[in-house]
Amino acid sequence: MSAVLEGIGKAVPPRVVTNAELAQTLDTTDEWVRTRTGIAQRYVAERGSGTADLAVEAGANALKSAGGSDVDAVVLATTTPDRIVPSTAPEVAARLGLGTIAAFDVNAVCAGFVYALATAAGLLATGVADRVLVIGAEVMTRITDPTDRGTAVLFGDGAGAVVLRRGDADEPGAIGPFDLGSDGDRADLLAIPAGGSRRPVDATALAERANYLFMDGKEVYRQAVTRMVASSRKVLDRAGWTIEDVDRLVGHQANARILSAVADRLGVPEDRRVSNVARYGNTSAASIPLALADAGLRPGERLLLTAFGAGMSWGSTLMTWPEITAA
Ligand code: UT7
């Protein structure tokens, strides 16, 4: 038994913010951002909108692509839920007209979508669900400090979603095996210091801007390359694949240099690398499904998916692209 992909959709907010626009208020330049990150622009959600809005739109598109709304669970990967309580997935399920089905959020930050795929595969394997809508949706610009040039240029907003059903491991669309991992000793390298149970937001936290994302960029960069390479090798070994079996590498879209370093170390040639970071920036849990939706993948292509983010958390999986049309 395997989880099999049968539909994919995406959504982005209407507003595009270019590097040049950010440079009007930040001490940065289009040239710095392009050469250090490969990012040219990002989509930014309007004030008053939230992750659920993007998740509903991407989810509806995925259901359309799958040809129906007969799902019995929603798993939403997000770092930026609309509210801390409740999780955002139940509202998304209700707004999609899916009724009172199982619905919950998964937070593994930028690795969230791979974690959510594995979670959905578990729901299918145990018979809890027959068909699952898996969404990665983020409004990262809401938790990014607009005055911090080290992070404000990196992140963007968006959503991608897939429909999974129970099927066989050898059919097109089959996902797996998985490799998932974490390193909580390095949790502080990329974190929002205040706003959780340990340190609620108060006047001091606001003055320190501790309600925003903090990142040790250099160390996160190093960890990202090391962990995605190791995790990719593990999942290839587990499946009995070599890197030559991989037609397209779909890595988490954080930074073009990270993607190149991972691909170089794994030995994936340039024409087999999927990258859309120039257009979206880092959309965290939305990045892999957005990349899958945009890549123009052909049926039968074999994919290696690998992601890394705060936690630290990482995950990789393999799949063969089915005959579907993105919506
Ligand atoms: O999804 C997973 C989470 N995130 C990531 O994967 C991101 C991981 N890290 C990175 O992508 C990179 O570390 C960054 C893009 C964040 C930074 O690139 P870098 O090549 O590591 O630059 P740096 O931090 O070493 O900074 C180089 C210089 C510094 O100036 P000095 O100290 O050399 O004078 C920074 O202050 O660039 C400066 N700088 C900037 N300059 C213009 C940092 N941010 C900016 C900026 N514009 N936006």
Side-chain angles (χ1 to χ4, degrees), residues 28 32 36 110 149 190 215 217-218 252 255 257-258 282:
T28 190
W32 191 96
R36 297 290 180 127
C110 299
R149 69 178 183 171
L190 180 46
M215 178 169 71
K218 270 205 184 314
H252 167 52
N255 179 325
R257 286 160 56 216
I258 294 177
N282 181 348

